Amino acid sequence: MSPSTWTLEIESPAPAARLFKAVLDWHNLAPKLLPNIVASAVGVQGDGSVGSVRQLNFASAMPFGYVKERLDFVDFDKFECKQSLVEGGDLGKKIESASTQFKFEQTSKGGCVCKVVTTYKPLPGVENKDEVAKGKEAVTGIIKAAEAYLLANPGAYA
């Protein structure tokens, strides 16, 4: 099967630079902000630069136990990064591969727009329509949780 793509734009009152940094550091923030979803997380390999791998371990509320994500690209000046799923989640069950690109664009009001592009290759015979809606909901939840943290903690990721 050929790869499929979905996109999402999320507006935020948080500045692009801070929200970008919070998403890059999600493995440290998620267990604190969403403990009912992310039980724990750890950097598995690397120092946070390109090629680094992090693992998010999920609470029982999730349909799978964990995911491992590799940072494939990062541009600190343009607030852009791309990560790929390397293990866990629906990999090998519903999808052959998946990657997500985040780009944070500053707005004139001081906030930003987070543009998300996810590309995935479904396994033959697997229908993923419900998974796309769940994916968009999950990414929106991540961005909004990070946003709420940044607004409540003005010095964080400054």
Side-chain angles (χ1 to χ4, degrees):
M1 295 189 80
S2 61
S4 298
T5 300
W6 57 261
T7 61
L8 181 64
E9 287 192 13
I10 306 164
E11 291 186 37
S12 172
R18 292 181 63 216
L19 195 51
F20 172 70
K21 290 175 188 174
V23 167
L24 282 178
D25 196 39
W26 188 242
H27 59 287
N28 288 316
L29 272 181
K32 297 173 193 171
L33 302 181
L34 302 171
N36 56 326
I37 297 172
V38 181
S40 65
V42 62
V44 174
Q45 173 184 324
D47 59 2
S49 60
V50 171
S52 295
V53 176
R54 65 184 177 186
Q55 179 171 326
L56 302 169
N57 300 303
F58 297 111
S60 60
M62 293 295 287
F64 37 78
Y66 74 99
V67 294
K68 284 186 183 178
E69 303 168 330
R70 180 185 60 239
L71 184 61
D72 295 324
F73 169 81
V74 64
D75 186 326
F76 292 100
D77 296 325
K78 294 182 180 177
F79 313 126
E80 188 173 349
C81 64
K82 182 178 179 182
Q83 61 193 31
S84 294
L85 182 63
V86 295
E87 190 178 308
D90 285 332
L91 195 63
K93 298 172 187 168
K94 296 181 180 182
I95 56 172
E96 184 178 311
S97 62
S99 64
T100 302
Q101 182 171 348
F102 294 89
K103 185 170 186 173
F104 299 84
E105 297 179 351
Q106 196 68 29
T107 63
S108 60
K109 298 176 186 174
C112 68
V113 174
C114 173
K115 296 183 177 184
V116 182
V117 178
T118 294
T119 303
Y120 64 96
K121 186 172 181 185
L123 289 171
V126 176
E127 186 62 47
N128 283 304
K129 284 186 176 23
D130 290 341
E131 303 307 315
V132 170
K134 289 177 187 176
K136 287 181 177 185
E137 183 180 327
V139 170
T140 300
I142 289 168
I143 298 302
K144 290 301 179 181
E147 169 191 292
Y149 176 79
L150 294 174
L151 294 176
N153 298 278
Y157 301 100

